[in-house]
């Protein structure tokens, strides 16, 4: 509310001329507005609880008691807000009209009582007096919005920063309500509880495979899975030793090579069994193949079976296009497929909260990673021609033979790697290198803050989800009746497969 509109009716003795100030004499161009004494007090004043009740003239002012705090407000102040609750009291003609707007009314003292938050009303009184409305720090934003609605104050009167905070909270509340609605819809159309032996077995299998905290079978299953993943990683490393590579190139297979093949076969058999168990216990088979970790399992298992199929092809010369080239191609395919076995390590994400957080962060920060890649591409395109021109004009063209060749130098310089295979020799080239390195540091730091906050938020979200699942599991284990046990178990399945659960995405 502009202050100038309130000043025009005041007495002239409350104005202080700028010519009377010594500072205004030194600064003739000063346009500081004159100060007005008693302006806020005239528009609204607080009355102490121990003071004598003031004689409020209902024709000029109103005495309000909100949660034990008493205020005197002139009608001239409230007339500027005709839609407010206090302004409507002016038009009340009988006791019934007053009772619809306030909680109680004292006819002797002509005092209106309201059973509302006194702190929130204090901010509203400050707004009526000073024209600035801000949120109350120690009060919930949504509760303060309810107070504004009760007193008839529009939310548009809030300051910009407070309005953004309120809108953000309203968006979070709307998202939470949408999640609750989706959860209720899923509960309404959820699968019926199967009390047969097959249904009980599937529930037990689901708990063992998906929830390691469900009991001893789940813990043993998770430990075996981690053990086989570690064994596969060690086997892959051993198979790349120089003596093993020499035997492979000669087409020979020693006892050590045979043992590695047996270990790999056992690990693949376990992973295949685990994949089949997960597929059998899944409620939605199509959604099962859309899971990221299930896709990784398929990519990790397929190289072994493809390599067996390639190795068991007929070996007659008439069945091959050309012997040497065919063997080279087959050997290349086998080596590539064998290297893909490292994808087994990604299976640890099923049992590691840190890896799940990393995957969820990458999923949520695709925009930030895209911006980072865009910044790097623009900077590389800028600095590569500059360093080429600087080195070419100085007559010291050694490594920078062309602009495309300078792209590699720009990449390793801006990412602060610096292999040293391409180094500018001239002073202009070194100045360009310094600029590219400093730009690379800044560019890499720009999206880092957003990615870090997303990682922290995702970790806390997954940790909270895991704690909730463990709490539901404890309630499930302590359930007394069979009906309560089945109800809690069905609710756990709905939550685990819910569309808004972060675990579903990882």
């Amino acid at each position: 509310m502009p202050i100038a509109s309130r000043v025009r009716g005041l007495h002239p003795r409350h104005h202080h001329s700028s010519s009377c100030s010594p500072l205004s004499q030194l600064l003739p161009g000063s346009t500081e507005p004159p100060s007005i004494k008693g302006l806020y007090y005239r528009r609204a004043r607080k009355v102490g609880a121990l003071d004598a009740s003031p004689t409020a003239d209902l024709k000029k002012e109103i005495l309000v008691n909100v949660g034990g705090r008493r205020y005197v407000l002139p009608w001239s102040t409230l007339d500027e807000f005709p839609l407010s609750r206090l302004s409507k009291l002016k038009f009340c003609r009988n006791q019934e009209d007053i009772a619809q707007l306030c909680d109680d009314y004292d006819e002797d003292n002509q005092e209106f009582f309201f059973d509302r938050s006194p702190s929130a009303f204090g901010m509203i009184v400050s707004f009526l007096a000073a024209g600035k409305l801000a949120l109350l720090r120690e009060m919930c934003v949504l509760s303060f919005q309810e107070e504004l609605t009760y007193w008839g104050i529009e939310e548009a009167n809030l300051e910009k920063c407070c309005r953004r905070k309120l809108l953000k909270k309203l968006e979070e509340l709307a998202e939470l309500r949408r999640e609750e609605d989706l959860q209720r819809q899923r509960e309404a159309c959820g699968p019926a509880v199967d009390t047969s032996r097959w249904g009980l077995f599937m529930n037990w299998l689901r708990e063992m495979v998906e929830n390691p905290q469900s009991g001893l079978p789940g813990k043993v299953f998770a430990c075996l899975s981690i053990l086989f993943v570690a064994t596969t990683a060690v086997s892959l490393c051993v198979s790349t030793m120089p003596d093993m590579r020499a035997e492979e190139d000669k087409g020979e297979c020693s006892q050590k090579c045979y043992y590695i093949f047996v270990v790999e076969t056992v690990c693949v058999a376990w992973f295949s069994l685990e994949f089949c168990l997960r597929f059998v216990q899944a409620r939605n088979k199509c959604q099962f193949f859309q899971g990221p970790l299930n896709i990784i399992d398929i990519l990790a298992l397929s190289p072994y079976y493809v390599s067996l199929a390639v190795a068991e092809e007929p070996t007659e010369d008439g069945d091959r296009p050309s012997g040497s080239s065919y063997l080279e191609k087959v050997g290349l395919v086998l080596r590539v497929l064998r290297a893909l076995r490292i994808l087994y390590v990604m299976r640890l994400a099923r049992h590691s909260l840190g890896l799940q957080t990393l995957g969820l962060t990458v999923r949520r920060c695709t925009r930030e990673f895209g911006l980072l890649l865009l910044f790097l591409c623009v900077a590389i395109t800028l600095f590569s021609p500059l360093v080429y021109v600087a080195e070419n004009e100085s007559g010291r063209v050694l490594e920078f033979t062309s602009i495309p060749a300078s792209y590699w130098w720009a990449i390793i310089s801006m990412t602060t790697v610096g292999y040293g295979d391409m180094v500018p020799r001239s002073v202009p080239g070194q100045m360009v290198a310094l600029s590219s390195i400093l730009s690379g540091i800044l560019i890499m730091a720009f999206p880092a803050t957003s990615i870090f906050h997303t990682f922290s938020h995702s970790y806390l979200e997954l940790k909270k989800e895991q704690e909730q699942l463990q709490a539901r599991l404890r309630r499930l284990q302590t359930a007394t009746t069979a009906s309560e046990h089945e109800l809690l178990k069905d609710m756990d399945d709905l939550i685990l497969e819910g569309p808004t659960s972060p675990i579903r995405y990882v």
Side-chain angles (χ1 to χ4, degrees):
M1 183 183 307
I3 302 297
S5 63
R6 312 170 193 160
V7 178
R8 286 180 288 212
L10 295 178
H11 197 274
R13 69 173 177 265
H14 293 290
H15 293 264
H16 288 262
S17 176
S18 59
S19 61
C20 298
S21 175
L23 183 61
S24 62
Q25 296 176 2
L26 297 177
L27 300 175
S30 176
T31 59
E32 182 180 358
S35 60
I36 303 171
K37 292 184 179 180
L39 174 62
Y40 297 160
Y41 182 79
R42 288 171 179 267
R43 295 184 59 83
R45 66 182 186 271
K46 184 178 180 181
V47 182
L50 300 179
D51 297 344
S53 299
T55 58
D57 186 4
L58 284 180
K59 296 181 179 180
K60 296 181 179 180
E61 56 189 8
I62 179 176
L63 178 60
V64 180
N65 189 324
V66 181
R69 297 183 185 179
R70 308 166 72 197
Y71 298 89
V72 175
L73 300 170
W75 289 114
S76 59
T77 301
L78 299 177
D79 288 341
E80 300 180 8
F81 305 92
L83 298 180
S84 63
R85 180 176 290 265
L86 295 179
S87 180
K88 294 178 181 179
L89 290 172
K90 185 177 181 180
F91 304 99
C92 293
R93 300 304 179 186
N94 49 43
Q95 194 73 20
E96 296 179 357
D97 296 341
I98 296 177
Q100 293 179 358
L101 296 176
C102 66
D103 296 320
D104 198 3
Y105 174 64
D106 187 359
E107 295 183 1
D108 298 333
N109 298 326
Q110 295 183 349
E111 185 174 357
F112 297 88
F113 293 89
F114 294 88
D115 189 12
R116 305 297 297 186
S117 172
S119 301
F121 185 74
M123 300 298 295
I124 295 176
V125 170
S126 299
F127 165 68
L128 297 177
K132 291 186 177 181
L133 182 61
L135 294 175
L136 195 61
R137 180 174 298 179
E138 62 269 14
M139 188 175 186
C140 176
V141 178
L142 301 179
S143 299
F144 190 78
Q145 183 197 22
E146 294 179 358
E147 293 292 329
L148 292 179
T149 304
Y150 176 81
W151 293 109
I153 305 298
E154 297 181 359
E155 301 171 3
N157 296 318
L158 283 168
E159 296 294 318
K160 291 184 178 179
C161 57
C162 299
R163 198 185 312 159
R164 285 195 297 266
K165 186 176 180 181
L166 175 61
L167 292 177
K168 183 179 179 181
K169 280 292 183 181
L170 291 176
E171 291 176 358
E172 293 178 359
L173 179 62
E175 182 67 23
L176 181 61
R177 288 177 177 175
R178 283 195 295 268
E179 293 178 1
E180 292 177 353
D181 292 339
L182 290 174
Q183 185 66 26
R184 281 193 290 266
Q185 292 177 5
R186 189 171 182 85
E187 291 176 5
C189 60
V193 179
D194 191 359
T195 57
S196 61
R197 291 186 177 181
W198 175 254
L200 296 177
F201 173 75
M202 293 302 297
N203 292 331
W204 175 81
L205 179 62
R206 187 174 298 109
E207 291 181 358
M208 181 188 69
V209 173
E210 298 294 344
N211 190 6
Q213 304 297 330
S214 59
L216 183 60
K219 294 180 180 179
V220 172
F221 187 85
C223 291
L224 286 177
S225 180
I226 296 175
L227 177 63
F228 278 106
V229 169
T231 304
T232 302
V234 173
S235 174
L236 178 62
C237 296
V238 173
S239 62
T240 58
M241 299 298 289
D243 52 348
M244 302 294 297
R245 292 293 303 275
E247 294 178 358
E248 181 181 354
D249 295 338
K250 295 178 181 179
E252 300 176 357
C253 184
S254 62
Q255 195 70 15
K256 186 186 298 184
C257 178
Y258 176 74
Y259 290 152
I260 291 177
F261 177 76
V262 171
V263 170
E264 181 182 358
T265 303
V266 173
C267 294
V268 171
W270 168 260
F271 295 143
S272 302
L273 176 63
E274 181 180 353
F275 183 81
C276 293
L277 292 178
R278 294 183 184 278
F279 176 75
V280 169
Q281 60 85 26
R283 296 185 182 274
N284 192 339
K285 309 302 181 183
C286 297
Q287 188 178 0
F288 174 81
F289 288 103
Q290 297 176 1
L293 293 179
N294 297 326
I295 295 176
I296 292 176
D297 289 344
I298 295 175
L299 295 178
L301 289 172
S302 56
Y304 177 81
Y305 296 105
V306 172
S307 61
L308 287 182
V310 172
E312 292 178 358
E313 287 186 358
T315 58
E316 289 79 3
D317 295 335
D319 296 334
R320 301 178 182 177
S322 59
S324 59
S325 62
Y326 180 79
L327 289 176
E328 291 177 359
K329 294 179 181 180
V330 171
L332 177 62
V333 171
L334 291 177
R335 285 192 294 271
V336 172
L337 293 178
R338 190 176 293 114
L340 289 177
R341 290 182 299 172
I342 198 62
L343 293 176
Y344 285 123
V345 180
M346 300 300 297
R347 295 173 57 87
L348 294 176
R350 297 184 183 275
H351 314 288
S352 173
L353 184 62
L355 291 178
Q356 292 177 6
T357 306
L358 179 61
L360 188 58
T361 304
V362 172
R363 183 186 182 94
R364 291 177 173 178
C365 291
T366 54
R367 184 184 298 274
E368 286 77 5
F369 287 122
L371 289 176
L372 178 60
L373 184 61
L374 176 62
F375 294 159
L376 286 176
C377 291
V378 172
I380 289 170
T381 307
L382 174 63
F383 287 107
S384 297
L386 290 179
V387 72
Y388 170 75
V389 171
E391 290 295 301
N392 190 22
E393 293 298 330
S394 63
R396 298 183 180 181
V397 181
L398 298 177
E399 296 92 355
F400 302 90
T401 57
S402 63
I403 292 180
S406 303
Y407 284 166
W408 171 248
W409 170 86
I411 292 174
I412 62 177
S413 297
M414 298 198 67
T415 55
T416 66
V417 176
Y419 289 122
D421 53 348
M422 300 177 66
V423 181
R425 308 294 180 182
S426 62
V427 176
Q430 292 174 356
M431 296 300 295
V432 173
L434 177 62
S435 302
S436 67
I437 292 172
L438 294 178
S439 301
I441 293 174
L442 294 177
I443 289 174
M444 297 291 290
F446 284 156
T449 304
S450 177
I451 295 174
F452 169 76
H453 285 300
T454 305
F455 180 85
S456 178
H457 179 73
S458 301
Y459 178 77
L460 295 177
E461 187 176 354
L462 289 176
K463 188 176 181 180
K464 182 180 179 180
E465 185 79 13
Q466 192 177 37
E467 292 175 354
Q468 290 177 354
L469 291 177
Q470 292 178 359
R472 294 188 188 99
L473 179 62
R474 287 193 294 268
R475 291 197 300 267
L476 182 63
Q477 293 175 349
T478 57
T480 55
T481 61
S483 59
E484 183 181 2
H485 189 276
E486 293 297 333
L487 177 61
L488 290 173
K489 184 180 296 183
D490 188 42
M491 288 296 297
D492 287 341
D493 295 337
L494 291 172
I495 293 172
L496 279 173
E497 298 181 0
T500 58
S501 175
I503 294 180
R504 176 179 177 271
Y505 296 108
V506 296

